[in-house]
Amino acid sequence: MLMTFLYILGITAEAMTGALSAGKRRMDWFGVMLVASITAIGGGTVRDILLGYYPLSWVAHPEYLVITCIAGLLATMTAKWIVRYHKIFLILDSIGLIVFSIIGYQVAQSMHLPALICVVAAVITGVFGGLMRDLICRQPPMVLHRELYASVAILAGVLYWALEYMGASVTIATFVTLIVGFGIRIAAIQYGWRLPTFHFDDAHSEDNVVDIQSAVEPQTQPETQPRRSA
């Protein structure tokens, strides 16, 4: 019951943040509802399709789709309030990330899939909604650039597996993963924790390619003409 309540809070917050991204691209109401729904329940949809888990979550529970659409439209009327109190939505988003990750793990586990696939399912459920939102809105995927996000989903999945491996009940594994994952995510936001980034400047890449080719290719010697005898 608690997980269902937290899940609804999570998809509501995700839908409203997705609607703001749609607003920055000046989308109409249909676009707002589409992006809001994809942000909120897109990760679970991708997971279910990849795993062959049917019916899809929002097909089995159409009320989730209704909630995301209403939340998206509500965001168009309260956008300034959402920006003003963005910290509340960061907290709700963090809760949603961990809840989505736990649910993703449990879905894969119910299909008797290996632990690695269960962790992957946790990451897909927690991250892919925001990833698709950014792709649709043509902006750099925030889940790959900002504070620890996808990494927290991985940690949540691994922690849940470790707790169950050590004999913890589903309830204990769920609560511990929820608390620890939420704490790590909030700490990452507070202190700016992030993974090392890779930066490649291709300004001189063409010159480097030419230098490499000249170093690899054998040098051709000019042909010498044989001397004619007098």
Side-chain angles (χ1 to χ4, degrees):
M1 190 67 177
L2 178 61
M3 287 292 290
T4 301
F5 175 73
L6 293 177
Y7 177 78
I8 292 175
L9 278 181
I11 62 174
T12 301
E14 292 284 350
M16 297 183 83
T17 57
L20 293 184
S21 296
K24 292 177 182 178
R25 290 296 179 181
R26 300 181 180 274
M27 296 185 184
D28 59 18
W29 278 20
F30 176 79
V32 169
M33 290 188 292
L34 177 65
V35 175
S37 298
I38 288 176
T39 306
I41 58 180
T45 301
V46 172
R47 175 205 66 218
D48 292 346
I49 292 174
L50 290 177
L51 297 182
Y53 186 81
Y54 296 103
L56 302 178
S57 59
W58 55 270
V59 175
H61 300 279
E63 62 272 17
Y64 295 160
L65 184 61
V66 174
I67 290 172
T68 58
C69 290
I70 293 176
L73 292 179
L74 184 62
T76 64
M77 308 172 193
T78 58
K80 293 182 179 180
W81 184 87
I82 296 173
V83 174
R84 181 179 301 176
Y85 299 100
H86 68 280
K87 290 184 178 180
I88 297 176
F89 285 86
L90 284 177
I91 293 174
L92 295 178
D93 176 79
S94 300
I95 294 174
L97 171 64
I98 308 304
V99 172
F100 295 167
S101 300
I102 294 174
I103 292 175
Y105 188 99
Q106 291 175 340
V107 167
Q109 187 183 47
S110 68
M111 301 177 68
H112 307 288
L113 296 174
L116 176 60
I117 305 304
C118 293
V119 173
V120 172
V123 176
I124 291 174
T125 310
V127 171
F128 268 59
L131 186 63
M132 290 190 292
R133 171 201 63 206
D134 295 338
L135 293 177
I136 292 174
C137 295
R138 292 180 294 176
Q139 58 190 21
M142 290 189 293
V143 300
L144 304 180
H145 293 278
R146 64 188 207 184
E147 304 90 1
L148 297 179
Y149 196 89
S151 304
V152 176
I154 297 175
L155 290 174
V158 172
L159 177 59
Y160 191 93
W161 166 81
L163 289 169
E164 285 204 327
Y165 183 80
M166 291 186 295
S169 65
V170 174
T171 302
I172 293 177
T174 299
F175 273 98
V176 173
T177 302
L178 185 60
I179 293 172
V180 173
F182 175 75
I184 294 175
R185 173 59 185 153
I186 293 298
I189 296 173
Q190 181 69 27
Y191 300 107
W193 295 347
R194 61 181 62 204
L195 293 177
T197 57
F198 172 68
H199 176 72
F200 175 68
D201 185 5
D202 62 349
H204 305 289
S205 60
E206 294 184 0
D207 296 336
N208 294 335
V209 171
V210 173
D211 293 340
I212 293 173
Q213 289 179 345
S214 61
V216 173
E217 292 178 356
Q219 299 293 329
T220 57
Q221 299 294 333
E223 296 182 358
T224 57
Q225 297 293 333
R227 294 184 178 180
R228 295 181 180 179
S229 56

